[in-house]
Amino acid sequence: MKIWCCFGFGEDEVEGRGTMREGMFGNENDDESEGKKLGFSLTGVMIDVEENEMAGGGDQWLPGMGGWGHFDQFASTSGQGIGENGDAFFPEKCDRPEGSERDECDDRDSCDVHHKRAKVQSYSLGCDYAITSMSSEAGNSSSSTDREYAVSLSPIAFNNEILSLSKMFNDGDDENPLESNDGRDDEGDGFPTLQMEDSEVRMDLTDDLLHMVFSFLDHINLCRAAMVCNQWRAGSSHEDFWRCLNFENRNISEAQFEDMCRRYPNATEVNIFGAPVIHSLVMAAMSSLRNLETLTLGKGTLGDAFFQALADCYVLKRLIVNDATLGNGIQEIPIYHDRLRHLQITKCRVLRISVRCPQLETLSLKRSSMAHAVLNCPLLQDLDIGSCHKLTDAAIRSAAISCPLLESLDMSNCSCVSDDTLREIALTCANLHILDASYCPNISLELHSCEGITSASMIAISHSYMLEVLELDNCSLLTSVSLDLPRLQNIRLVHCRKFVDLKLRSMKLSSMTVSNCPALHRIDVTSNSLQKLVLQKQASLTTLALQCQYLQEVDLADCESLTNSICDVFSDGGGCPTLKSLVLDNCECLTAVGFCSTSLVSLSLVGCRAITSLDLTCPYLEQVHLDGCDHLERAYFCPVGLRSLNLGICPKLSALRIEAPSMVQLELKGCGVLSEASINCPKLTSLDASFCSQLKDDCLSATAASCPLIESLILMSCPSVGYEGLSSLRLLPHLTLLDLSYTFLMNLQPVFQSCLQLKVLKLQACKYLTDTSLEALYKEGALPALCELDLSYGTLCQSAIEELLACCTHLTHVSLNGCLNMHDLNWGFGSGSVAELPSIYNNTSSLSTHGYDHDELIEQPNRLLQNLNCVGCQNIKKVLIPPMARCFHLSSLNLSLSANLKEVDVVCSNLCFLNLSNCSSLEILKLECPKLTSLFLQSCNITAEAVEAALTQCNMLETLDIRFCPKVIECKHEKVPGSVPQFEAHLQQPLNENERTAYDYSKEFCALFHLVDHLQIDGR
């Protein structure tokens, strides 16, 4: 095949260079016929080669784009080609016409070889090169050998590059030195004139420096580097870079391979895996490369001659043969070598094999089909015969026992292995460290699926004192394992269906994996190195004996058959003195759990529904999880290091004792039958005893005495707490939150006298409180620090509520939800109203506007009220909060679900949130709230005109909820001149026809005053 090569040369090299003659890539003759078209890309240059005629020619080695075609072209230093007539495809080897600068190179100062520098042409990186074939005589096949090729260059301007170089060199000169080419144009026979500006940058690179740089390149990039110049071609072809000849999956011919071997006779590694005719290639390698140390073969056939000649390759140390056919398939294949150390024959098709290598250390015959293997390797340490299904039991036994120094043996998936073989291996191979007998169906000795190995084989394995790793996965017949191996470090038992008993003694055992052994009921382990033990989902496990001095983590989750005796194993004196974490989740047979451990830090009993008694004496216990222990009746924690404890998920708990010096939070919510409780937690700050209906005064008094730092005490729905219990609260000087909701209290004097620092008092649904029960708050000034008061669902009358709101100006949060006796919230003037005790309002004009006389006002302090909730007050009809109420801090007012509320008149400068949802009787709405941002009118019958009038003074409104307001939605207004784009983005989901109509009307309504940012309609 004929090919033209085109490269970027320096200005001095281009001069005088005519039309390039055809170089040889393979066999060259004058009778080549039309062939095929090849294309490959090298360093940004695309070369299209069109061969119209090719009559014969040798094997060509150009398999792909930028592939080993480069290697064939540039990998030589001797100047010999890879074809039959020895012409190489290199720039300096291309035939040139007479008078070319090939003869002039020695006289030029710019020659690369003399100056040892690479030439970089600025235009070579930015130009597209195209080589097209032009027949000198169209249609004349006899002239195909004289075909000429023309090179056309399409320049791509590097303006930025030229400009920067111009600035660097000109420094103000008018003439640009980069534009000079001595007034000459590059011309040649058959080439068009090149009209472009080029610049040359010289870089001094010594051979040593270049050698160092090239040492980081692979073969492909070395071949590409050979295109740059003569120096780089010579440097990239150095034999140091070609010690390994890697032709894996390459379509290389025998002649080409022989040529490479001649060029690099000192190569030490050859890889011809996947190459054609590997037998011929490997024979050539062994005859030419006397220093060959590593040989990799595969995907082909190796004849007998290869194995006979193997001994002549004296320095060979590693031989890898994968997926190959050895010999003719009838006779025995001998592998004899005195220095071979590593031999790997995998997935090979062979009948019999004989290996005699006195220095061999590693041998792998994995997945090969031989029926017999004879080994004479006295130094062999690692043998892998896994998945050799045709290898007989006798052959495996003979091969293994012939290697007395064997340390690792993998015979997994060998279906013929028997107990006798395993026994002899254990007795013969005293140094055996790793044994893998997985998936051997004829082992009944519970090894990995070794159904032919019995438990008797374990006795033989027990003599393998050097054994370190034992894997017994899927040993379906294994029933028991009893081993005392001083060096055993790792044992694995997974999916052993009949495995019942495990007894291990190994001081170095550090890893133990036992899983999915449904029949396993007893485990006895002794080790000084085991730190973590995971025995999850062993449904039949009933007995566990451990002597593990450094065991720290144990996971026995879903071991449903474990009994209470497991507690002795993990208590002090049970064999695990350093245990820190214990997981016994879903162990449903545990009924009485008790641990006494000075090391236990975390305990999990989640889902142990049968536990009725829990006794923990673990001074360093920091975490305990009891979720799902809903039958727990007695719980003793004496002492423990817990900081928090939640027993609210134990509804049947009746007796509790806690001694926890570090505990700060205790939750007993829902322990409805708890009657005996002794809590000694000197650092406790939060106690939630909600719904502890049996908790009495004596228990509360004892707790207050032993826990003086309590700040939050919740006694909701504790009807047994009375006067004596509340009197003991004087022992809690730091109490700030007290919840007495849903209790039967009638007298709150103990609270008013004892809890002087109380900030939050909740009295929801305390129906036995009378109108005078809270007089101490608004008449005597009790609880001066109180900020939040909740009287929801109480029975206080209207007057008591009004006096409370009028006098307790220090309250910030007041809740009056569901107060049926509350009729009005009127903070204006009038008989019986809150405003009978008004505050001074300095703005007399505003007072006059609202009809109030300044002289009638009595000086009062500003109210600190911020949140007022009156949800569900069915009898309230009018809410009036005028300016003189001095609610300057009120920011949230919730009047929702007040079905009879008709009128709301609020003047508040800081109100931000107003909820009037489901006030179906609302008719009048007056608002003067300049900072109001959210208004909820859902399901109100108020008219659109009333809403519009109310919002005229609310300039900062962002959210308006008018869902299910029929009078607003049905209202039709005139055409709106503008729109409100803000709330358009809040309607993400498409609306149906009715919703769309409602949205359009509401949008028009809100656009009238351009106030609303967020509109909610019909659930959107």
Side-chain angles (χ1 to χ4, degrees), residues 186-315:
D186 296 330
E187 298 179 355
D189 297 337
F191 285 90
T193 302
L194 305 180
Q195 300 291 342
M196 68 179 300
E197 300 171 355
D198 63 309
S199 62
E200 180 178 304
V201 180
R202 298 183 180 275
M203 297 181 296
D204 291 329
L205 294 175
T206 64
D207 290 341
D208 294 338
L209 181 58
L210 197 63
H211 187 88
M212 183 181 298
V213 173
F214 283 173
S215 64
F216 295 97
L217 302 182
D218 56 15
H219 289 171
I220 297 298
N221 289 317
L222 284 172
C223 294
R224 291 170 177 169
M227 297 179 59
V228 176
C229 62
N230 292 337
Q231 183 196 11
W232 284 35
R233 190 197 69 81
S236 63
S237 301
H238 197 281
E239 64 177 5
D240 287 349
F241 308 138
W242 302 94
R243 295 288 185 182
C244 174
L245 302 181
N246 188 352
F247 303 101
E248 183 175 354
N249 295 319
R250 300 294 178 180
N251 187 20
I252 182 174
S253 66
E254 182 178 355
Q256 293 166 346
F257 181 76
E258 290 178 353
D259 180 70
M260 293 301 299
C261 292
R262 287 194 299 269
R263 298 183 190 201
Y264 302 105
N266 293 324
T268 60
E269 183 176 349
V270 171
N271 185 350
I272 53 176
F273 178 85
V277 292
I278 60 171
H279 179 78
S280 301
L281 299 183
V282 71
M283 295 301 294
M286 290 192 298
S287 62
S288 303
L289 306 177
R290 311 310 299 173
N291 296 322
L292 187 61
E293 297 180 357
T294 302
L295 184 58
T296 303
L297 315 169
K299 288 189 177 180
T301 301
L302 294 175
D304 298 335
F306 163 71
F307 298 100
Q308 295 175 1
L310 193 62
D312 297 332
C313 197
Y314 301 108
V315 298

Side-chain angles (χ1 to χ4, degrees), residues 768-1001:
Y768 291 93
L769 291 178
T770 63
D771 295 341
T772 60
S773 298
L774 298 177
E775 286 185 353
L777 284 178
Y778 54 84
K779 289 185 178 182
E780 302 175 6
L783 304 180
L786 190 66
C787 297
E788 182 175 343
L789 178 62
D790 191 347
L791 298 173
S792 300
Y793 312 106
T795 58
L796 295 181
C797 66
Q798 175 77 16
S799 59
I801 294 175
E802 288 180 347
E803 290 187 51
L804 178 68
L805 294 177
C807 298
C808 298
T809 58
H810 57 283
L811 295 176
T812 60
H813 294 73
V814 176
S815 294
L816 299 171
N817 304 325
C819 292
L820 300 179
N821 295 331
M822 185 176 179
H823 302 289
D824 290 318
L825 184 61
N826 185 359
W827 285 359
F829 285 112
S831 177
S833 66
V834 176
E836 290 181 354
L837 300 172
S839 300
I840 282 186
Y841 195 81
N842 296 325
N843 191 341
T844 57
S845 62
S846 179
L847 292 176
S848 300
T849 302
H850 289 80
Y852 302 118
D853 188 356
H854 179 270
D855 297 333
E856 297 180 0
L857 299 179
I858 302 175
E859 183 176 356
Q860 292 289 332
N862 293 338
R863 303 180 190 278
L864 300 180
L865 188 63
Q866 299 177 8
N867 294 79
L868 178 60
N869 297 318
C870 298
V871 178
C873 297
Q874 300 295 329
N875 295 323
I876 191 170
K877 298 179 181 180
K878 181 179 180 180
V879 174
L880 175 61
I881 304 179
M884 68 285 303
R886 301 187 66 81
C887 296
F888 297 140
H889 300 281
L890 184 63
S891 60
S892 176
L893 178 60
N894 193 346
L895 301 169
S896 60
L897 297 173
S898 299
N900 295 314
L901 182 61
K902 295 183 178 181
E903 180 181 353
V904 174
D905 187 352
V906 178
V907 179
C908 187
S909 59
N910 287 313
L911 188 66
C912 299
F913 177 90
L914 177 58
N915 190 353
L916 298 172
S917 299
N918 294 285
C919 296
S920 55
S921 300
L922 185 63
E923 298 176 355
I924 302 174
L925 179 61
K926 297 179 181 180
L927 300 177
E928 189 174 337
C929 307
K931 293 186 178 180
L932 187 65
T933 59
S934 300
L935 175 60
F936 295 86
L937 298 172
Q938 178 181 347
S939 301
C940 292
N941 290 323
I942 192 170
T943 63
E945 293 80 1
V947 176
E948 180 181 355
L951 297 182
T952 55
Q953 300 298 323
C954 303
N955 299 324
M956 299 182 64
L957 192 63
E958 296 178 356
T959 301
L960 174 61
D961 186 353
I962 53 175
R963 294 175 293 176
F964 311 111
C965 295
K967 293 182 180 180
V968 174
I969 296 177
E970 294 175 359
C971 179
K972 296 184 179 180
H973 297 273
E974 298 178 358
K975 185 176 181 181
V976 182
S979 61
V980 183
Q982 292 86 344
F983 62 78
E984 188 73 51
H986 293 275
L987 295 174
Q988 302 294 340
Q989 301 179 3
L991 303 175
N992 57 36
E993 184 176 355
N994 295 332
E995 292 172 336
R996 183 74 256 176
T997 303
Y999 165 69
D1000 291 338
Y1001 289 155

Side-chain angles (χ1 to χ4, degrees), residues 97-227:
E98 296 180 2
S100 66
E101 78 275 13
R102 177 68 176 173
D103 300 330
E104 302 172 5
C105 181
D106 295 339
D107 299 333
R108 295 182 180 269
D109 294 337
S110 62
C111 182
D112 293 345
V113 177
H114 290 203
H115 291 270
K116 299 186 183 302
R117 57 172 60 119
K119 297 183 179 181
V120 180
Q121 306 295 336
S122 63
Y123 64 84
S124 62
L125 298 176
C127 300
D128 292 338
Y129 291 80
I131 300 182
T132 57
S133 63
M134 297 181 299
S135 176
S136 60
E137 295 181 12
N140 188 356
S141 61
S142 62
S143 63
S144 62
T145 57
D146 298 329
R147 185 178 304 276
E148 297 180 354
Y149 293 81
V151 179
S152 62
L153 287 78
S154 300
I156 299 176
F158 276 71
N159 296 328
N160 294 335
E161 180 183 356
I162 294 176
L163 180 60
S164 62
L165 291 175
S166 300
K167 291 180 179 179
M168 182 171 59
F169 290 118
N170 289 345
D171 194 18
D173 296 341
D174 295 333
E175 182 180 358
N176 187 350
L178 300 180
E179 299 176 354
S180 175
N181 60 355
D182 298 335
R184 293 176 288 117
D185 294 334
D186 296 330
E187 298 179 355
D189 297 337
F191 285 90
T193 302
L194 305 180
Q195 300 291 342
M196 68 179 300
E197 300 171 355
D198 63 309
S199 62
E200 180 178 304
V201 180
R202 298 183 180 275
M203 297 181 296
D204 291 329
L205 294 175
T206 64
D207 290 341
D208 294 338
L209 181 58
L210 197 63
H211 187 88
M212 183 181 298
V213 173
F214 283 173
S215 64
F216 295 97
L217 302 182
D218 56 15
H219 289 171
I220 297 298
N221 289 317
L222 284 172
C223 294
R224 291 170 177 169
M227 297 179 59

